[in-house]
Amino acid sequence: MTVAAILSGKGHETITADRDAPLGEICKTLAKHKIGAVVVCGADRAIEGIVSERDIVRAIGTDGSVALNLPVSNVMTKEVVTCVEENSVNEVMARMTQGRFRHMPVVKDGKLTGVISIGDVVKFKIAQVELEAEQMRSYITMA
Ligand code: AMP
C-alpha cells in the first residue's frame, strides 16, 4: 500500500506557515488544528522547512518566552525529508523511524501536496491488520 492510500482517506489539506511567522503564532496554529508540526513554505508551495512542537520546546527551553517572538525560520529544520504518493507506507514508516521524526511532507513536482504523520501510519496499519483478521475469520467460518 502506498502514501496515496493514506491521503485518499485523510485528504490533502496541509497547514503551512510563512518563514517570517513568529513562533507564538505557530503555537496557536498547532493548538487550533490539533497537529504536531507545520510545514514552512515559500512561493508556489515550495518547502523551506518544518517546525514541530519539539523545536518549539527546545527554543523555549533555551531562550525562555522571548523565543515566542522569534521568526520560525530561526528554529525550523531546513533539511526536510519528503516522500511522494507512490512511496510505500512501509518505506515511509522506516524513514521516520530511522530519522526519528513523526511527520513527512508529501511532494509532487517540488510542491507540497500533503502531510503524513506517524499517527496516520499507525491508524492505517491497524485498519490493515483488522481487515486481514476479518478476512481470515470469514475464510475459516466458510470452510
Ligand atoms: P517530530 O518527531 O516530527 O516532532 O520532529 C522531531 C524533529 O525532527 C524536529 O526537529 C523536526 O523539525 C524534525 N522533523 C520533523 N519532520 C521532519 C522531516 N520530514 N524531515 C526532517 N526533519 C523533520
Side-chain angles (χ1 to χ4, degrees):
M1 286 299 227
T2 62
V3 166
I6 295 184
L7 285 183
S8 74
K10 73 170 276 195
H12 288 259
E13 193 203 0
T14 49
I15 310 298
T16 61
D18 190 270
R19 61 182 295 109
D20 298 325
L23 270 199
E25 199 179 291
I26 304 289
C27 290
K28 284 183 193 160
T29 303
L30 295 179
K32 181 177 170 197
H33 296 280
K34 299 187 173 74
I35 54 174
V38 167
V39 183
V40 179
C41 283
D44 275 348
R45 296 177 75 75
I47 297 175
E48 295 185 342
I50 188 165
V51 63
S52 89
E53 50 206 3
R54 292 207 181 165
D55 301 312
I56 298 170
V57 168
R58 195 181 312 118
I60 293 172
T62 307
D63 295 336
S65 60
V66 292
L68 296 172
N69 299 320
L70 292 173
V72 65
S73 56
N74 279 32
V75 170
M76 68 187 187
T77 300
K78 295 185 177 106
E79 297 293 317
V80 184
V81 179
T82 61
C83 64
V84 293
E85 289 200 11
E86 293 75 24
N87 287 138
S88 74
V89 174
N90 284 348
E91 206 176 327
V92 166
M93 199 167 62
R95 288 165 77 193
M96 282 184 179
T97 307
Q98 261 170 20
R100 294 176 182 272
F101 49 72
R102 298 167 293 177
H103 300 88
M104 182 90 88
V106 186
V107 293
K108 187 172 186 184
D109 301 327
K111 293 178 188 171
L112 178 68
T113 60
V115 175
I116 300 288
S117 75
I118 194 70
D120 298 324
V121 172
V122 170
K123 191 174 157 196
F124 181 83
K125 283 281 177 192
I126 289 172
Q128 210 176 21
V129 167
E130 281 173 351
L131 178 68
E132 280 167 15
E134 186 50 42
Q135 285 168 341
M136 191 65 80
R137 266 194 295 275
S138 310
Y139 178 74
I140 291 166
T141 51
M142 262 170 46

